[in-house]
Amino acid sequence: MGTAVELINGWILPVLAGPAVGSFLGVLIRRLPAGRDVVLTRSACEACGHVLTPAELVPVLSYLRQRGRCAACGARIDPQHVWIELAALGIAIVAACAVPGGPFLWLSCVLGWWLLALGWIDALSFRLPDVLTLPLIPAGLAEAAWFEPASLAGRGLAATVAFGVLWLVGFVYRRARHREGLGLGDAKLFAAGGAWGGISLLPFAMLVAPVLTLLYAGTLWLRGVPVTGTTKLPFGPFLAAAIWMGWLFRP
Ligand SMILES: [Zn+2]
């Protein structure tokens, strides 16, 4: 019986929750940067205002059954919703593979989903909203206080150092190039990385995030998009991905 419970808690629940959480994140990603209410307004077709029925709210499957169109007016549904649901599912699957079941699996999923929303919003709007970055810092420290009290001071120090390092990089860049390179949002996100992963996460993320950003610039270039020294590239999605990897595979 023990193994059945482990299987349900360690695999089935997170993997079932993934697309449902992704569905909520899709709403959050669209509404939060626009200053719209995230929780109380019911989901509706953006073309005709038709309020979605429970059958139209099933993650991924509703989209596939309706062939990506509104059931009432036939308007095309933004496929991003499905990609976010699939990404949230992917996060649950990767976490379930990397972390044994129990509280750390759920923490890994929640952190991954949170970072997914942040990265996606940054990719769309070049903004990392404070309302999402800042709570991650005390959340990481609370995780340390609860599960690894001995690491709390180190994690607090890591958060401070992380913020300072990216703030300094942004400051030097502004002085040298007279334009915005790294925003404070990136520094706050990196501070959250320090709060969750401690000091060892910082060099890892500082190596992986720029490499991912360069790979992304490379794919843009291959697709014929001109990439120059002044091309605006979001750093948040890659920093978020690096933080999550650093957390999952921390020593
Ligand atoms: Zn419609």
Side-chain angles (χ1 to χ4, degrees):
M1 272 316 281
T3 50
V5 172
E6 276 164 29
L7 193 67
I8 289 170
N9 199 25
W11 262 97
I12 296 171
L13 281 181
V15 167
L16 280 179
V21 171
S23 177
F24 169 73
L25 294 182
V27 173
L28 178 95
I29 286 165
R30 281 186 92 82
R31 292 186 185 172
L32 189 90
R36 288 163 60 199
D37 175 74
V38 172
V39 181
L40 295 177
T41 313
R42 292 187 61 189
S43 292
C45 167
E46 293 189 357
C48 71
H50 161 69
V51 174
L52 302 188
T53 62
E56 291 161 20
L57 283 168
V58 183
V60 185
L61 299 180
S62 293
Y63 181 89
L64 293 178
R65 198 187 51 223
Q66 294 166 217
R67 294 171 195 277
R69 296 193 172 274
C70 167
C73 73
R76 184 172 166 275
I77 300 168
D78 188 347
Q80 266 194 95
H81 284 289
V82 179
W83 290 117
I84 296 167
E85 286 161 4
L86 291 174
L89 171 65
I91 283 170
I93 291 173
V94 170
C97 292
V99 180
F104 282 102
L105 173 57
W106 285 104
L107 279 169
S108 302
C109 287
V110 169
L111 181 63
W113 292 328
W114 200 291
L115 291 168
L116 171 68
L118 268 168
W120 209 291
I121 288 173
D122 194 35
L124 291 178
S125 66
F126 292 97
R127 278 192 58 227
L128 291 165
D130 281 350
V131 64
L132 290 180
T133 52
L134 292 181
L136 266 187
I137 300 171
L141 297 178
E143 193 276 329
W146 187 265
F147 291 104
E148 297 169 57
S151 75
L152 181 58
R155 299 249 214 121
L157 178 70
T160 314
V161 169
F163 182 85
V165 166
L166 278 205
W167 178 86
L168 190 67
V169 171
F171 177 78
V172 170
Y173 187 91
R174 260 196 313 279
R175 275 296 168 94
R177 305 284 294 270
H178 302 291
R179 64 187 185 87
E180 195 70 38
L182 273 176
L184 272 186
D186 295 304
K188 291 167 194 163
L189 176 57
F190 198 32
W196 280 85
I199 212 88
S200 64
L201 182 137
L202 305 186
F204 171 80
M206 270 303 92
L207 190 73
V208 171
V211 168
L212 293 177
T213 311
L214 282 177
L215 286 175
Y216 172 69
T219 59
L220 286 183
W221 181 77
L222 284 176
R223 280 161 48 200
V225 181
V227 180
T228 68
T230 54
T231 304
K232 209 173 172 193
L233 296 171
F235 187 58
F238 310 109
L239 182 56
I243 289 171
W244 196 57
M245 282 189 247
W247 156 265
L248 275 188
F249 305 110
R250 71 195 182 289

